[in-house]
Amino acid sequence: MEEQGSRRRPLPVLLLWVNGLMTLGFVGARQQTELCNESLMLEKLPACGKFFEEMMKKVDSKKWCNLTEFIMYYDNFTQCTEREANNASCFWPNPLAEGFITGIHKQFFSNCTSEKVHWEDPPDEILITLILIPVMLTCAMITLVVWCSKRSDIL
């Protein structure tokens, strides 16, 4: 009997040991986290801005507010900033990259203000019609439901 009891003990101990290794992250312990090299990123980002600036010189400055004129250049600029941030082990977007991108926006798109649309109410005849139709339909549906519920012989 003592032999059976001593044979059963190693299995729970082994399971606890394996569980402890898994809990401690023994499998993923080799993963190392790299710190963001902000100075390297700030050193490399101006090259992206310079390339974007050169491409924007090809576009007439009157068309700078029309995104379809330079969307490919802006996409390349965005990919460049993302690549340089990732090469410096930084996530993207981050506050430093956003500050750089905002500076580019101020340089090229500061005169692009959105035109505010002035909304007006429709003429009174149309407005009254648009209000009364749903009200009348609601009243008609309520009347129909009440009328059908009182006539049990139909159902």
Side-chain angles (χ1 to χ4, degrees):
M1 284 231 158
E2 273 185 42
E3 290 179 23
Q4 290 177 351
S6 64
R7 288 182 189 171
R8 290 185 183 175
R9 285 184 186 156
L11 183 61
V13 171
L14 178 65
L15 290 175
L16 285 172
W17 181 72
V18 169
N19 186 28
L21 287 177
M22 297 299 281
T23 304
L24 290 174
F26 181 71
V27 176
R30 293 185 176 242
Q31 294 179 348
Q32 295 178 351
T33 56
E34 296 180 34
L35 296 176
C36 174
N37 189 345
E38 293 176 348
S39 59
L40 176 64
M41 183 184 63
L42 289 175
E43 181 182 313
K44 298 292 185 177
L45 286 180
C48 300
K50 184 73 173 163
F51 180 74
F52 182 69
E53 186 176 340
E54 290 172 9
M55 293 295 110
M56 287 300 285
K57 287 180 183 176
K58 295 179 180 180
V59 179
D60 184 19
S61 62
K62 295 176 184 174
K63 296 181 180 181
W64 282 359
C65 295
N66 185 357
L67 187 62
T68 57
E69 296 291 329
F70 61 88
I71 188 68
M72 291 300 295
Y73 306 144
Y74 191 80
D75 182 53
N76 290 337
F77 169 70
T78 304
Q79 289 179 7
C80 180
T81 58
E82 184 175 1
R83 182 177 54 252
E84 294 303 336
N86 289 334
N87 287 343
S89 301
C90 301
F91 62 92
W92 188 92
N94 59 57
L96 293 174
E98 285 178 0
F100 178 76
I101 293 168
T102 302
I104 294 292
H105 279 231
K106 287 179 181 175
Q107 180 181 351
F108 290 101
F109 312 121
S110 61
N111 294 329
C112 300
T113 57
S114 61
E115 297 176 10
K116 295 190 177 186
V117 178
H118 180 67
W119 295 96
E120 291 183 18
D121 287 338
D124 288 342
E125 298 82 24
I126 295 174
L127 188 62
I128 290 171
T129 305
L130 290 173
I131 292 171
L132 287 180
I133 288 175
V135 170
M136 293 300 211
L137 283 174
T138 304
C139 291
M141 292 303 295
I142 291 171
T143 304
L144 183 64
V145 168
V146 170
W147 181 69
C148 285
S149 67
K150 287 186 177 184
R151 295 198 52 185
S152 60
D153 58 332
I154 295 175
L155 299 173

